[in-house]
Amino acid sequence: KAGVTQTPRYLIKTRGQQVTLSCSPISGHRSVSWYQQTPGQGLQFLFEYFSETQRNKGNFPGRFSGRQFSNSRSEMNVSTLELGDSALYLCASSLGADANGETQYFGPGTRLLVL
Amino acid sequence: AQSVTQPDIHITVSEGASLELRCNYSYGATPYLFWYVQSPGQGLQLLLKYFSGDTLVQGIKGFEAEFKRSQSSFNLRKPSVHWSDAAEYFCAVVWVSGGGADGLTFGKGTHLIIQP
């Protein structure tokens, strides 16, 4: 079974631009979560989508948004990019049946550099 | 706020020696506990998890971890490390309450260096 895939793997943007990242979960998984990894803050939870609805949300500004499609694929969008948004963005998928917590399987990440 | 602490930022171990990586979490609702490993430029790979039951859990690559509720700890161990174990290790927790669970809360990670 194929793992979680993320595209693109690398991105370079300039301040003020917006960016969209894509994540395809493991087949049969209906929950997709997004995380930001930076050297200073470590790994931080952005949000989780299940059945095309945001089920959980971390403590990030509204510039960070996401959505999920009927095939469980998810996109994450960051508008008005700031230098501090440079990070590795990780997507994780899980079955989604248990809202109380399940094993999450991670993709390789998208590395975003904001200049 | 609920938190996960990995007190050791770096650990150096000789190849063949035993390893213990520490993880403590703040008290909260029922914790689901995980250890992940990340190699440079890679995503996170699940080593093992604890939801309930036997407090000593076995994972992949010869790793094990023990959940100690009284100490709020979930330490990762390996009896004999290999050079390929050099990586960043993350402890993560999901707290489960009546209202469901939030996303994973991660520790800051422990960078494992293996000496020949």
Side-chain angles (χ1 to χ4, degrees), chain A residues 35 37 41 56 100 103-104, chain B residues 36 38 49 96 101 104 108:
Chain A
Y35 294 83
Q37 185 177 24
Q41 299 299 315
N56 282 306
N100 289 326
T103 301
Q104 297 183 25
Chain B
Y36 286 90
Q38 185 178 37
K49 62 188 178 187
V96 180
L104 288 165
K108 293 293 190 185

Side-chain angles (χ1 to χ4, degrees), chain A residues 36-111:
Chain A
Q36 181 196 63
Q37 185 177 24
T38 60
Q41 299 299 315
L43 281 151
Q44 295 183 284
F45 171 68
L46 282 156
F47 31 65
E48 180 207 6
Y49 284 86
F50 173 73
S51 290
E52 303 177 63
T53 301
Q54 189 179 86
R55 187 159 68 175
N56 282 306
K57 188 178 186 304
N59 189 26
F60 276 79
R63 299 186 297 107
F64 292 82
S65 63
R67 59 177 177 169
Q68 186 181 33
F69 301 94
S70 58
N71 62 357
S72 295
R73 189 177 70 84
S74 176
E75 287 181 348
M76 190 192 97
N77 184 273
V78 188
S79 63
T80 320
L81 284 166
E82 300 176 359
L83 295 179
D85 297 332
S86 294
L88 181 66
Y89 290 88
L90 292 164
C91 166
S93 77
S94 64
L95 287 169
D98 186 356
N100 289 326
E102 298 173 320
T103 301
Q104 297 183 25
Y105 298 90
F106 286 80
T110 294
R111 187 165 295 281

Side-chain angles (χ1 to χ4, degrees), chain B residues 3-47:
Chain B
S3 63
V4 179
T5 301
Q6 293 181 246
D8 303 307
I9 299 174
H10 299 277
I11 280 187
T12 301
V13 179
S14 297
E15 190 169 16
S18 63
L19 170 71
E20 182 170 30
L21 302 182
R22 296 181 290 166
C23 173
N24 293 93
Y25 61 92
S26 62
Y27 177 78
T30 303
Y32 288 1
L33 302 153
F34 305 83
W35 275 98
Y36 286 90
V37 60
Q38 185 178 37
S39 298
Q42 303 295 315
L44 299 171
Q45 182 183 22
L46 177 70
L47 286 174

Side-chain angles (χ1 to χ4, degrees), chain B residues 17-20 61-64 76-82 85:
Chain B
S18 63
L19 170 71
E20 182 170 30
K61 305 185 180 186
F63 285 94
E64 66 177 27
L76 181 71
R77 301 194 293 249
K78 186 169 184 178
S80 176
V81 298
H82 185 261
D85 293 325

